Amino acid sequence: MQQSRILQKLCFFVTICILVPNVLGDCNECQTNGVKCINQTHFSFCSDYIDKSQVVGCPEGQVCTSMKAICLPEGAEASCAPTPAVECPACDGSSIFVCTSRTTFQMCNGDTLTSQVSKCKENTFCSIKSGTICADRCWIENNHNGFECDRESPA
Ligand SMILES: *[C@@H]1O[C@H](CO)[C@@H](O)[C@H](O)[C@H]1NC(C)=O
């Protein structure tokens, strides 16, 4: 009698453990579903037969997970935390130009951004505060701890 109760309890716990799905994927690590989520929406393959530099995006509105289906609708447990939104200055009527990426800037028309993208010269970075629109890395690092618009290319 006693033994069967213990057995019953044991069965109960084992069942619970099996039922709790392993939802915790790890960002940037190969998962059991054969892919590595590189951010919330993109993944690369872990197979030795597929070029690992290939990046695939989940369909619109889906996130990369550790589940067999890989991409699941937003709200599912994504393997990677969301990438924080990069804040870039907006045209507020007070400046003629704003930085729209680390190396580009655009003109403002009052408080609207015009569409033409201008580029800083090679090895220079956008900094309106520099007074020269673009400045060298040294200036960026020493004077303003970082970039005014820290992203690769204009949004
Ligand atoms: C995820 O990474 C891909 C490939 O590097 C990139 O194109 C995409 O913009 C990134 N998405 C986010 C939300 O950071």
Side-chain angles (χ1 to χ4, degrees), residues 73 80 107 116:
C80 297
M107 199 170 196
Q116 193 183 338

Side-chain angles (χ1 to χ4, degrees), residues 38-39 41-42 55 83:
I38 58 170
N39 61 27
T41 53
H42 288 67
V55 171
T83 315

Side-chain angles (χ1 to χ4, degrees), residues 13-86:
F13 284 119
V14 169
T15 310
I16 290 262
C17 287
I18 291 169
L19 286 181
V20 170
N22 180 21
V23 287
L24 296 170
D26 276 316
C27 194
N28 262 315
E29 276 182 29
C30 283
Q31 307 173 136
T32 50
N33 60 1
V35 303
K36 180 200 281 193
C37 298
I38 58 170
N39 61 27
Q40 276 220 312
T41 53
H42 288 67
F43 62 87
S44 60
F45 298 94
C46 297
S47 164
D48 285 338
Y49 304 106
I50 305 172
D51 186 350
K52 291 181 176 60
S53 65
Q54 276 190 109
V55 171
V56 178
C58 286
E60 189 73 37
Q62 298 192 5
V63 293
C64 182
T65 75
S66 58
M67 301 302 190
K68 206 171 165 206
I70 304 173
C71 296
L72 290 172
E74 271 166 23
E77 182 101 24
S79 299
C80 297
T83 315
V86 175

Side-chain angles (χ1 to χ4, degrees), residues 54-149:
Q54 276 190 109
V55 171
V56 178
C58 286
E60 189 73 37
Q62 298 192 5
V63 293
C64 182
T65 75
S66 58
M67 301 302 190
K68 206 171 165 206
I70 304 173
C71 296
L72 290 172
E74 271 166 23
E77 182 101 24
S79 299
C80 297
T83 315
V86 175
E87 293 273 335
C88 290
C91 289
D92 59 6
S94 74
S95 52
I96 301 165
F97 296 102
V98 289
C99 298
T100 52
S101 78
R102 287 188 283 275
T103 56
T104 60
F105 56 94
Q106 282 162 244
M107 199 170 196
C108 293
N109 180 10
D111 54 14
T112 55
L113 187 68
T114 61
S115 62
Q116 193 183 338
V117 177
S118 301
K119 287 186 168 70
C120 292
K121 253 167 88 170
E122 203 173 329
N123 293 320
T124 71
F125 302 90
C126 185
S127 173
I128 304 305
K129 290 176 201 148
S130 69
T132 50
I133 304 178
C134 297
D136 61 21
R137 181 174 283 279
C138 210
W139 198 93
I140 301 284
E141 281 170 2
N142 292 333
N143 293 271
H144 286 283
N145 349 290
F147 302 102
E148 285 177 26
C149 180

